[in-house]
Amino acid sequence: MKAANILLALVALLCGLSSLIPQGRELPFYAENYPGAYTLIYRTHFYDVFSSWYFVLLMGLLCLSLLVCAARMFRRALRSSREAVKQAAALPNAEQLESGQLEQLRRWAAARRCKEEQIGESFVFHKNRIGYWGLFLLHVSVLLVVFFGVFALALPKVTDLDCRPGESVSLEDGTQIAVESFSMKNESGQMDYASRIHITLPDGQRSATQEIKVNYPMTFGRVKVFQWTYGVSPAVITRSKLDGTEDRFELNRPAFLSADGLSGVQYLGTFEAEDQDDPEAEKTVFYQVRLVSNGVAMSDMAVLPGESVSLGDWEFLFQDPYYPGLRVKEMPFPYANTLLEAAMVLLLLGMFLCFYLRPVLVRADENGYTVAGPRPDKTRLELRKLLQKEEEAK
């Protein structure tokens, strides 16, 4: 355990230090942002701590230490669960019992749902023998959390994608991710990036539409999608009123959208406007455009995202300029993250056994009793108060 604690402390120290320097960037990034420490960062592999040889070595030693501890705990738990009652029956009395107090002790044990076994002239009251397995489960679950945690971090294929609302993007295996809507603020007006998406697997299986936020991803099959960032790119859809054909244009710079070069919409730029009476109010994004008819420029106008402008046989629908940036993690097989979640559940079960189902062992005969088992102080104090109270009542 000492070795495991030291290794855990070193791993925690490396995790803390790695948070001070962005991980996984290209080497020129560190040369530009850390010119004085660039050489040290490069030589110590501190630009990607979690894939460094020393971190892998520490994790391997930690797993080995936990494995050895778990093996010892298994033998101890197996022996204790089988032989604890017999060993308790062989213990000498630690406290004296007066006449009739054995029955009081028996009633106390029955009220706490303790089992009673008679071995020779001794009576052994016991319960929660499953609690002997608590420490073993703790060690095994920590080992599994470490193992599956590394598994979950190292094996997924990570891809960053940009997708506009109303469109979809495809992964290499044919999985499609469709963004139905994107918002940058919640109902209370606070910044809270969120996208409503659905996923279609290569076999045609489609998920329900789900909202994802920062720290609240969506998992479907072996795909996990995170709300990662956002981008800004104005765009307009042109629609013919004659045949309904549509085209989409990215407006990265001023442009003239026209079918004949004489009539159309001249895009001047995208701007933000704030309410002069309420500086804290949300800024309004709008398109600055100019209508041109038969070569004659008309007055400028502001168009909000989602609004359209009609001119002759054409309709111009201006899109929301903001779109989400998604981070997609593809696990090697479906529900791989469930292994990590199961290990966490096992960890909670081990903690429950250790703290709430501690074994209780009380050996007694006509002359006295003794309290055995792990951490017997609470039971010993409870019995002393019980017997003293009964004695004073007499």
Side-chain angles (χ1 to χ4, degrees):
M1 282 303 300
K2 291 182 179 179
N5 289 333
I6 293 174
L7 292 169
L8 276 173
L10 291 174
V11 169
L13 177 62
L14 284 175
C15 291
L17 292 176
S18 67
S19 65
L20 302 177
I21 299 177
Q23 300 288 296
R25 302 289 185 86
E26 299 293 333
L27 292 181
F29 169 84
Y30 301 98
E32 178 181 354
N33 292 275
Y34 303 93
Y38 165 71
T39 302
L40 179 62
I41 292 174
Y42 179 73
R43 290 180 178 178
T44 59
H45 209 275
F46 224 73
Y47 56 88
D48 194 0
V49 171
F50 303 112
S51 64
S52 63
W53 67 267
Y54 50 84
F55 189 83
V56 174
L57 177 62
L58 282 177
M59 295 301 294
L61 291 175
L62 177 60
C63 290
L64 179 61
S65 177
L66 291 173
L67 185 61
V68 173
C69 290
R72 293 179 177 177
M73 292 297 175
F74 177 81
R75 293 196 300 268
R76 184 181 302 175
L78 185 62
R79 183 173 63 253
S80 297
S81 62
R82 289 179 175 179
E83 303 176 3
V85 175
K86 293 182 179 179
Q87 292 175 351
L91 294 174
N93 290 329
E95 302 286 345
Q96 299 298 316
L97 287 177
E98 302 294 335
S99 176
Q101 288 186 332
L102 178 60
E103 290 302 319
Q104 297 173 9
L105 196 152
R106 181 176 281 115
R107 288 196 296 272
W108 169 88
R112 283 153 183 78
R113 296 186 178 87
C114 292
K115 296 181 180 179
E116 178 180 340
E117 290 188 33
Q118 183 174 3
I119 301 177
E121 298 181 355
S122 301
F123 298 93
V124 179
F125 307 97
H126 62 89
K127 71 172 183 176
N128 297 340
R129 291 169 66 179
I130 193 176
Y132 285 111
W133 294 94
L135 284 177
F136 168 72
L137 285 181
L138 274 180
H139 284 77
V140 170
S141 59
V142 171
L143 177 62
L144 293 178
V145 167
V146 172
F147 180 78
F148 291 137
V150 173
F151 181 85
L153 289 173
L155 293 186
K157 178 183 178 183
V158 180
T159 307
D160 291 337
L161 301 171
D162 294 333
C163 185
R164 295 184 177 279
E167 297 182 353
S168 63
V169 290
S170 298
L171 304 180
E172 291 183 358
D173 65 350
T175 299
Q176 290 190 338
I177 302 172
V179 177
E180 298 184 5
S181 63
F182 173 64
S183 62
M184 300 181 64
K185 292 188 177 183
N186 56 26
E187 296 178 354
S188 62
Q190 297 177 336
M191 297 300 294
D192 189 13
Y193 308 121
S195 301
R196 291 184 60 82
I197 68 171
H198 67 263
I199 302 173
T200 304
L201 300 180
D203 60 2
Q205 187 177 0
R206 184 183 185 277
S207 71
T209 300
Q210 180 176 327
E211 184 178 70
I212 61 172
K213 297 182 179 181
V214 178
N215 299 326
Y216 294 94
M218 173 184 179
T219 301
F220 188 65
R222 65 186 189 93
V223 177
K224 194 168 191 176
V225 184
F226 296 81
Q227 176 64 61
W228 187 245
T229 183
Y230 74 95
V232 181
S233 181
V236 64
I237 294 177
T238 61
R239 180 184 298 123
S240 172
K241 296 180 181 179
L242 300 177
D243 56 14
T245 58
E246 293 184 353
D247 284 305
R248 182 188 182 92
F249 297 93
E250 303 290 335
L251 303 176
N252 298 320
R253 60 179 182 269
F256 182 48
L257 305 174
S258 173
D260 57 8
L262 296 176
S263 299
V265 172
Q266 186 177 0
Y267 167 70
L268 303 176
T270 304
F271 304 93
E272 288 184 336
E274 60 182 17
D275 189 344
Q276 298 296 330
D277 297 330
D278 186 6
E280 297 183 358
E282 181 179 358
K283 294 182 179 180
T284 301
V285 179
F286 65 92
Y287 290 83
Q288 188 75 21
V289 300
R290 179 181 299 150
L291 298 183
V292 179
S293 178
N294 294 322
V296 179
M298 304 170 65
S299 60
D300 296 355
M301 60 186 304
V303 182
L304 297 176
E307 294 182 346
S308 62
V309 174
S310 293
L311 186 66
D313 296 331
W314 293 92
E315 183 179 13
F316 302 84
L317 177 62
F318 292 86
Q319 304 294 293
D320 190 336
Y322 297 105
Y323 61 89
L326 308 177
R327 170 157 289 188
V328 182
K329 288 187 176 181
E330 299 175 73
M331 297 298 294
F333 55 89
Y335 313 113
N337 288 325
T338 305
L339 297 175
L340 180 59
E341 296 168 356
M344 294 297 295
V345 172
L346 190 64
L347 177 63
L348 294 176
L349 177 60
M351 295 175 66
F352 178 78
L353 293 180
C354 285
F355 295 109
Y356 296 100
L357 287 181
R358 295 176 180 173
V360 175
L361 282 168
V362 179
R363 179 262 180 204
D365 56 27
E366 295 291 343
N367 300 318
Y369 73 94
T370 186
V371 180
R375 299 183 181 181
D377 294 339
K378 182 179 179 180
T379 303
R380 186 180 294 121
L381 181 61
E382 184 178 351
L383 286 176
R384 284 178 181 174
K385 290 182 177 180
L386 171 69
L387 297 176
Q388 287 176 2
K389 184 177 180 181
E390 293 290 340
E391 188 65 24
E392 291 174 357
K394 291 182 180 179

